[in-house]
Amino acid sequence: MLYVPGDKLDWMLKAPKYGADALMFDLEDSVELSQKAGARNAVGKAIRALGSGPFGRFVRLNRWGTGCVLDDLNAVVIGGLDGVALAKTETPQDIAALDLVLGELERSRGLPVGRIEICAHAETAQAIYRLYDICMASQRIKRTGGAGGPTPGGDAARSLGVQLNDASDEGNCFGAYSVLQARAAGIIQIEGVMPATVNDLELVRRVGERSKRMGASFAAAIHPSHIPIINEIYSPAQDEINEACKIVSIMAEATARGEGAVRYKSSMLDYASVRTALEVLKKAQAVGIDVGSVPKLELPPI
């Protein structure tokens, strides 16, 4: 997901060429206060112009209490909008209120009711602590952030009073807590850390790989040069795909013999191994990778 300042219409219009799965047009921190109105108009134009593209179109709104949210929504809730992110989400009530307003706008404008997603961004200590309740506040929430911990120097790190850098692991405890909260709420699309640096691509890789290990399924970028690295990290590697196919095949043969567990290399495989392998293959297929013929295997309910 590539972040683009909402007051840069030319940047938004050329952003699809960089290969991101989704674009986030930012109306909050990247737009100077006096430019908010113009940015809303620019984002509306970008959504209309890019409405048929094979990528997601999201808008980062200002937070409640700024006097900006209703104006933001009035300008961007149009055909082609896929989701909104509420900056500085504090409570479940923030999400519930946004859900209600979105529903009213969808009805009044003839848009499918409930289609527009809400991205829950926990950027304060209170929000991180209550992330489960926030995620449960609306069925529109399909993704949230937090894996890998707060971005160094960002709002969440400041709210927590922690001093982090991109090379350290001190933020992992906050990331693990956020992943737990999100997963418990049924959210499986979890965002990794977004480095604030532009030119250090090795750092982007290290942070992305660490976030993936911590449970992230995607990441955002502040610069187009980060997109190829992020796509590589979060797409299953061919070795992973081959291994997953092998595990499913071995277990299919084992169950045909009436066995529910079998030794493979130095490990024991069982139905849990198959579920994990099938998740890898599903992710590969979702990004257009041909995984070949996969044996059918009936799994017990969980």
Side-chain angles (χ1 to χ4, degrees):
M1 181 178 285
L2 178 62
Y3 272 67
V4 189
D7 59 347
K8 307 289 188 184
L9 179 58
D10 56 336
W11 290 16
M12 290 186 282
L13 293 178
K14 70 180 181 181
K17 73 179 183 181
Y18 298 113
D21 294 324
L23 305 176
M24 180 71 79
F25 303 136
D26 188 11
L27 289 175
E28 203 231 1
D29 280 349
S30 67
V31 178
E32 197 272 328
L33 290 174
S34 67
Q35 303 301 311
K36 297 286 188 183
R40 293 182 192 107
N41 292 332
V43 169
K45 291 179 181 178
I47 294 171
R48 291 184 180 92
L50 303 174
S52 61
F55 47 84
R57 289 153 293 273
F58 292 78
V59 176
R60 188 186 188 206
L61 309 171
N62 290 278
R63 64 177 175 84
W64 288 116
T66 60
C68 294
V69 178
L70 296 181
D71 289 338
D72 292 347
L73 290 170
N74 191 51
V76 305
V77 176
I78 54 179
L81 177 69
D82 293 301
V84 295
L86 181 63
K88 313 299 188 296
T89 301
E90 286 281 331
T91 67
Q93 289 74 27
D94 289 344
I95 297 297
L98 178 57
D99 189 323
L100 286 172
V101 176
L102 284 172
E104 286 300 295
L105 288 171
E106 288 168 335
R107 291 182 182 91
S108 69
R109 298 178 181 188
L111 301 173
V113 177
R115 181 186 175 277
I116 297 173
E117 284 187 36
I118 295 175
C119 303
H121 282 180
E123 299 175 84
T124 67
Q126 180 181 175
I128 293 171
Y129 181 72
R130 303 189 66 183
L131 185 57
Y132 172 83
D133 294 326
I134 287 170
C135 289
M136 294 295 290
S138 172
Q139 293 185 350
R140 295 177 186 267
I141 294 182
K142 304 293 190 297
R143 67 195 74 228
T144 188
T151 298
D155 293 307
R158 185 181 66 257
S159 177
L160 291 163
V162 294
Q163 297 181 3
L164 306 171
N165 63 69
D166 286 317
S168 67
D169 295 326
E170 287 87 348
N172 284 356
C173 60
F174 301 106
Y177 181 82
S178 296
V179 171
L180 172 63
Q181 298 280 305
R183 283 285 187 163
I187 307 300
I188 61 174
Q189 296 298 330
I190 302 175
E191 185 177 343
V193 177
M194 178 173 62
T197 58
V198 173
N199 297 323
D200 192 343
L201 299 185
E202 277 305 309
L203 177 62
V204 173
R205 181 176 296 279
R206 289 199 306 273
V207 169
E209 290 173 346
R210 183 179 65 194
S211 294
K212 183 179 180 181
R213 292 194 299 271
M214 291 292 295
S217 60
F218 74 101
I222 61 169
H223 192 269
S225 63
H226 299 182
I227 297 298
I229 297 171
I230 290 172
N231 286 345
E232 177 187 341
I233 290 170
Y234 289 99
S235 298
Q238 191 60 51
D239 288 346
E240 293 179 88
I241 296 170
N242 294 342
E243 183 72 358
C245 288
K246 184 69 173 178
I247 288 171
V248 175
S249 297
I250 289 172
M251 280 299 297
E253 295 172 1
T255 56
R257 299 192 301 267
E259 301 176 24
V262 64
R263 183 170 178 171
Y264 172 60
K265 296 181 179 178
S266 60
S267 302
M268 290 298 295
L269 301 181
D270 58 14
Y271 287 116
S273 310
V274 176
R275 293 187 184 97
T276 301
L278 290 175
E279 280 194 7
V280 171
L281 299 178
K282 184 178 180 180
K283 289 177 182 177
Q285 291 171 321
V287 295
I289 298 175
D290 183 4
V291 301
S293 178
V294 180
K296 298 294 184 181
L297 185 58
E298 184 177 354
L299 299 175
I302 54 174

